[in-house]
Amino acid sequence: MELSVVHFARCVSVLGICEYYMKDDWTIHELVLAASPFSERHTAEAIAKKTTEACITAGLSNDVKSTVFVAVSDNGANMVAGWAGFGRTPCVVHTGQLSVHVFLGHTHIQPTRAKSRGITSHFSFSTGVDGLGALKGCQRECNLPEHHPVKDNDTRWSSGHDQMEWFRVHQRAVQLYDVNHARKAGDAYKGHQMGLEDWRINLEGVAVLQPIADWTQYLQGTKYPTMPLVLPTTYDLIQSLAPDSPLKLYFPGEVGYELLPTEMHAGVLAARTAMYDDWVSRWVTNIDPEVKRIYAITTLLHPCFKTYDFIDDFDLVQPSDKAWALAELRCEWKTAWKPQPTEPIPDGAPGTSTDAEPPASDAVALPLAGEPPKKHRKVSLGSLLSGRVKKDATVVAPAPPVLAQDELEQYLEDPEVPELDLMVLAWWAAKESKWPHLAKMVKQYFAAPASSAGVERVFSAAGNMHSDLKKSTKDDTLQHSLFAAFNCD
């Protein structure tokens, strides 16, 4: 389940809640549970009350926490407090964007960002022959598409990267405009003209943020499982941002190359390092243990990551994480999903064991985070993890002996699938007859989204339905229109 609150024109705020579930055909379905006017102050208490009312109205239990498996919201303080009682997990994309703001707001990046924003503002207000019209002429002369500069909006994911990418693509057109039209543009524009150092910072800044933009694009999907990909893709991303990692400048239609840290602009390297420290803090050092447990269990249920070997080359995660994750998975399976024998089995009967069951959850402590080491386009899982070399197919070390025909242990003993772009839902659909009870567990975990992108898309549609051209529309009509648009097959 996803939650967010958005404010529209005419002082109208809307509380949006989306539900996700998986049907027997292994397809993920989305329902808008609420898109109701929210006239109260956006306090944690009001959000909790409104959420409970919306869930009860939608037919869920009065005890929302016991009904909802995973509740996802952004990291606003009111959202965090309001959904604390519902077993909230953070939106991974919003969490990543908070780290991106560390990079964009760094003292070495901010002056260049201020200039690009000033240029964007100039072309937004100056649309005549000496403004946007002249820019489009420069774009035609440089054989570039006639696109106006992208605005940077702090509330829109990846907008900082998108604006910097526009300036990278249209650098020649902007420089030609500076030569031919800056004199007529006025002193305000001249104060925002970018020099060679600014263009270098912008170019390297795009290269720093591009992997994060790809990660964002992939993890905000709602029609395919994203929760099992959070830890593998995030750890790989953090590794690529490490201070000693080269900067990859690979852009469509251009010859790619890499810069060693010593070859990077010193300011960009400092900003990347600061952002790296923030990613480590959020995802390794200070991650909520219960949230990490959900990610770990879901990851192990993905046949490409069930050996948990993606942590082998990630120095910040202790090797004991692998044993901890497996213990949590086995505990969850045993306590909530594993079928219980209908008849007692005599001691010593074939297929039984007197050895102990795998350890319960509290028998394996969450490993401590390691200290930091001293030393565009269509995005697929394979491209996100392009730097990761899959090992030969391996199997998980067997657990202590358990009852014969245990579905989870059979799954873990099967070789790991090496193909990263595996259609994982189709894979599990083919295995459902073999492991029917484990398949139910997979459906529960895989239906949960990693981000709140779905409800943000609902708000985008709501903005079109509640525009200035429809000022006489009643507030309740908006919710009914969204139900009709999103909840009909």
Side-chain angles (χ1 to χ4, degrees), residues 5 31 52 82 115 159 212 276 296 322 438 470:
V5 176
L31 280 179
T52 302
K115 291 180 180 180
S159 64
I212 302 174
Y276 166 81
K322 190 176 299 187
L438 184 61
K470 301 178 181 178

Side-chain angles (χ1 to χ4, degrees), residues 338-341 345 351-353 357 400-407 409:
K338 182 178 178 179
Q340 300 301 317
I345 301 176
T352 64
S353 172
E357 289 277 357
V402 295
L403 292 176
Q405 305 304 315
D406 183 281
E407 294 179 17
E409 297 307 325

Side-chain angles (χ1 to χ4, degrees), residues 103 108-109 197 199-209 211 239-249 257-276:
F103 178 84
H108 290 290
I109 306 298
E197 185 176 23
W199 288 113
R200 180 184 175 187
I201 290 174
N202 187 81
L203 173 65
E204 294 185 13
V206 172
V208 169
L209 297 180
Q239 192 87 321
S240 72
L241 299 174
D244 58 351
S245 295
L247 178 63
K248 298 179 180 180
L249 293 92
Y257 61 98
E258 297 183 2
L259 293 176
L260 296 175
T262 54
E263 299 172 319
M264 293 173 59
H265 185 283
V268 174
L269 178 60
R272 187 181 74 165
T273 301
M275 179 173 64
Y276 166 81

Side-chain angles (χ1 to χ4, degrees), residues 67-135:
T67 306
V68 176
F69 178 62
V70 173
V72 180
S73 76
D74 65 34
N75 294 300
N78 55 347
M79 298 289 188
V80 173
W83 266 28
F86 304 136
R88 173 193 171 273
T89 59
C91 168
V92 297
V93 173
H94 186 257
T95 303
Q97 293 307 305
L98 294 176
S99 296
V100 169
H101 290 162
V102 173
F103 178 84
L104 294 176
H106 195 273
T107 54
H108 290 290
I109 306 298
Q110 192 56 245
T112 299
R113 299 280 298 122
K115 291 180 180 180
S116 61
R117 282 177 164 174
I119 293 173
T120 301
S121 178
H122 167 75
F123 288 118
S124 295
F125 292 102
S126 181
T127 57
V129 293
D130 293 325
L132 186 60
L135 174 65

Side-chain angles (χ1 to χ4, degrees), residues 109 194 238 396 456:
I109 306 298
M194 296 171 66
I238 294 174
V396 175
E456 299 296 338

Side-chain angles (χ1 to χ4, degrees), residues 320-353:
S320 55
D321 246 35
K322 190 176 299 187
W324 165 79
L326 282 169
E328 293 295 336
L329 171 63
R330 284 168 170 144
C331 176
E332 178 72 6
W333 161 252
K334 175 185 174 182
T335 57
W337 300 94
K338 182 178 178 179
Q340 300 301 317
T342 56
E343 296 181 2
I345 301 176
D347 291 340
T352 64
S353 172

